[in-house]
Amino acid sequence: MVAVAAATASSHLLFSSSSSSSSSSVSPSRLCPFQLCVFDPKSDLWGANIRKRQVGGGIRCTAVGEAAATTATKKKSGYEIETLTGWLLKQEQAGVIDAELTIVLSSISMACKQIASLVQRANISNLTGVQGAVNVQGEDQKKLDVVSNEVFSNCLRSSGRTGIIASEEEDVPVAVEESYSGNYIVVFDPLDGSSNIDAAVSTGSIFGIYSPNDECLADIGDDSTLDTAEQRCIVNVCQPGSNLLAAGYCMYSSSIIFVITLGKGVFGFTLDPMYGEFVLTQENIQIPKAGKIYAFNEGNYQLWDDKLKKYIDDLKDPGPTGKPYSARYIGSLVGDFHRTLLYGGIYGYPRDKKSKNGKLRLLYECAPMSFIVEQAGGKGSDGHKRILDIEPEEIHQRVPLYIGSVEEVEKVEKYLA
């Protein structure tokens, strides 16, 4: 009797057994009772590679079948790698994302590769220093800020799947004329920590993707710049941060690290310069529930309120363990966050007397990072409530941010209550 069980789309599993009457005349090792024979229906395995014959009412699998079964259980090759492109296709096949979002994410990864190359050659290509312009936040734009923003925007436009792009470096969001399907809304900080460029310190790009909304697409006409009413419409589409479909960042450092979440765990990829591809290096990243590292700009200590000062002072107190927290502050959100994600602890940029709402932007930095950290088992807060529950009132809204291990964020919330 032969029973055929369906396996994957590319292979079938054939289980064969023999009757008791044949077991006495044929060696059990030759009959392969309950043996797994793997064959590819696209090739002529039935006719050429797998020979089968009746033996006392049973079916015998030849050595070819045995070799196939052995191959199926063989250890994974040390040279086998999984690229970001391949990983995204698997997510698409599993129904986690659609083909349109796959293309958008691929275009973002391409932008990150280009920016990584620009950052590495900044000194050689004379891309260090200030551009001479000031962005909407009143900050001096670095040359690489401007170039990186153009690279990111061009890659998203060329994908044909984005309807609205909103950048930290742009005064207002922009409707994409080149879009012909998808219409995803992408918010991004093209080069976070650009003030560190001249010193070759870690920088990064941050992005978040929201679902398209046909009821709230701007009629761009001859002018792709959106007016106030259309900006408000986009803000409503992008809210709250818990509506994010995907978020991630790319860190430009000793290695180029691309971290992404699609709402089902956090995955890390490293750019392999040999192949020019992002390769999966960390699966299902989980942040420790607690940590002994804090990252705050203590240069602003005198500008903080007394509750926050008390919190920082207590972190420095060795206590009964005799081990105070360690201070680590790079000045680049991506760099500080990535370390916190891996080692645990807390990163904070609070409000102070100079910056009433903190310095970091909700849409481009706080919401995407909070989405990532929650998917890794951590927490993002403004000191009183969940970042992802905050509804922006304007495109470039700033909020305080405390992000990292659950226990550490809850601890600072108690101090600030």
Side-chain angles (χ1 to χ4, degrees):
M1 179 184 71
V2 178
V4 180
T8 63
S10 61
S11 64
H12 298 282
L13 304 180
L14 174 64
F15 292 91
S16 63
S17 62
S18 58
S19 64
S20 58
S21 61
S22 63
S23 60
S24 59
S25 58
V26 183
S27 169
S29 63
R30 307 275 304 192
L31 284 175
C32 58
F34 307 108
Q35 176 151 345
L36 177 63
C37 297
V38 182
F39 65 94
D40 188 346
K42 295 180 182 179
S43 64
D44 189 22
L45 290 178
W46 280 112
N49 296 333
I50 295 183
R51 300 187 303 278
K52 55 185 174 70
R53 63 183 164 184
Q54 293 291 104
V55 182
I59 292 180
R60 186 173 72 187
C61 303
T62 65
V64 175
E66 293 169 1
T70 302
T71 303
T73 59
K74 191 171 74 173
K75 290 184 179 180
K76 184 177 179 181
S77 170
Y79 294 97
E80 186 175 348
I81 60 175
E82 183 168 8
T83 65
L84 175 61
T85 301
W87 183 83
L88 287 173
L89 290 174
K90 284 185 178 179
Q91 305 310 305
E92 182 185 331
Q93 291 171 349
V96 177
I97 56 176
D98 60 20
E100 309 291 341
L101 188 52
T102 300
I103 294 173
V104 172
L105 290 167
S106 294
S107 70
I108 290 174
S109 72
M110 176 57 69
C112 291
K113 290 178 187 178
Q114 293 183 47
I115 295 172
S117 178
L118 290 169
V119 169
Q120 290 173 336
R121 293 182 51 81
N123 282 291
I124 300 172
S125 304
N126 193 30
L127 287 174
T128 56
V130 178
Q131 172 75 9
V134 176
N135 66 16
V136 68
Q137 279 76 243
E139 301 165 337
D140 289 331
Q141 287 183 310
K142 295 282 187 176
K143 293 178 182 177
L144 267 179
D145 281 325
V146 178
V147 176
S148 298
N149 182 65
E150 186 174 347
V151 168
F152 227 100
S153 297
N154 287 343
C155 283
L156 288 171
R157 289 175 186 275
S158 64
S159 75
R161 267 70 180 181
T162 49
I164 301 290
I165 57 176
S167 168
E168 180 186 325
E169 299 299 327
E170 300 284 352
D171 293 351
V172 294
V174 176
V176 180
E177 296 183 64
E178 294 86 346
S179 179
Y180 55 85
S181 64
N183 292 321
Y184 285 96
I185 298 166
V186 182
V187 296
F188 59 92
D189 180 353
L191 193 61
D192 170 74
S194 59
S195 60
N196 289 322
I197 283 290
D198 294 0
V201 177
S202 298
T203 55
S205 300
I206 307 170
F207 66 89
I209 303 175
Y210 294 88
S211 61
N213 188 330
D214 294 336
E215 297 177 0
C216 199
L217 287 178
D219 181 10
I220 57 176
D222 297 328
D223 186 2
S224 62
T225 302
L226 310 185
D227 61 26
T228 304
E230 291 167 331
Q231 290 181 51
R232 173 69 55 174
C233 183
I234 294 169
V235 172
N236 292 335
V237 170
C238 297
Q239 289 325 293
S242 54
N243 286 349
L244 279 163
L245 296 178
Y249 61 85
C250 188
M251 183 175 70
Y252 313 118
S253 186
S254 57
S255 295
I256 312 303
I257 308 294
F258 188 90
V259 175
I260 185 173
T261 178
L262 304 177
K264 293 182 179 295
V266 179
F267 297 81
F269 298 80
T270 302
L271 183 64
D272 187 334
M274 181 179 294
Y275 303 114
E277 291 281 355
F278 283 108
V279 176
L280 181 63
T281 49
Q282 294 167 298
E283 297 187 64
N284 291 312
I285 299 172
Q286 289 290 304
I287 186 172
K289 294 187 179 299
K292 284 292 184 178
I293 298 175
Y294 73 97
F296 286 71
N297 183 1
E298 293 189 72
N300 295 326
Y301 180 87
Q302 295 300 330
L303 301 176
W304 295 339
D305 62 35
D306 293 337
K307 292 180 179 179
L308 186 59
K309 288 180 181 178
K310 171 67 172 153
Y311 166 74
I312 294 295
D313 291 341
D314 287 351
L315 292 185
K316 297 177 181 179
D317 185 353
T321 63
K323 294 182 179 180
Y325 279 61
S326 296
R328 299 284 187 273
Y329 185 74
I330 299 172
S332 167
L333 174 59
V334 170
D336 281 313
F337 178 83
H338 188 69
R339 182 197 58 246
T340 303
L341 182 66
L342 299 182
Y343 302 154
I346 185 171
Y347 169 88
Y349 206 107
R351 60 167 51 95
D352 56 42
K353 294 176 182 177
K354 183 175 61 176
S355 303
K356 300 297 182 182
N357 294 312
K359 184 180 178 182
L360 302 177
R361 267 67 55 162
L362 175 59
L363 284 180
Y364 314 110
E365 297 165 319
C366 300
M369 290 306 207
S370 294
F371 187 55
I372 294 169
V373 82
E374 286 195 8
Q375 287 297 315
K379 186 173 183 178
S381 170
D382 70 349
H384 302 282
K385 60 182 176 182
R386 182 178 178 235
I387 288 290
L388 296 184
D389 289 336
I390 300 176
E391 300 200 15
E393 298 175 359
E394 59 184 41
I395 296 294
H396 297 291
Q397 180 177 341
R398 302 172 190 257
V399 294
L401 177 66
Y402 302 94
I403 193 168
S405 301
V406 170
E407 293 182 12
E408 304 305 329
V409 175
E410 291 178 347
K411 181 177 181 179
V412 73
E413 285 180 328
K414 290 178 181 178
Y415 274 83
L416 299 177

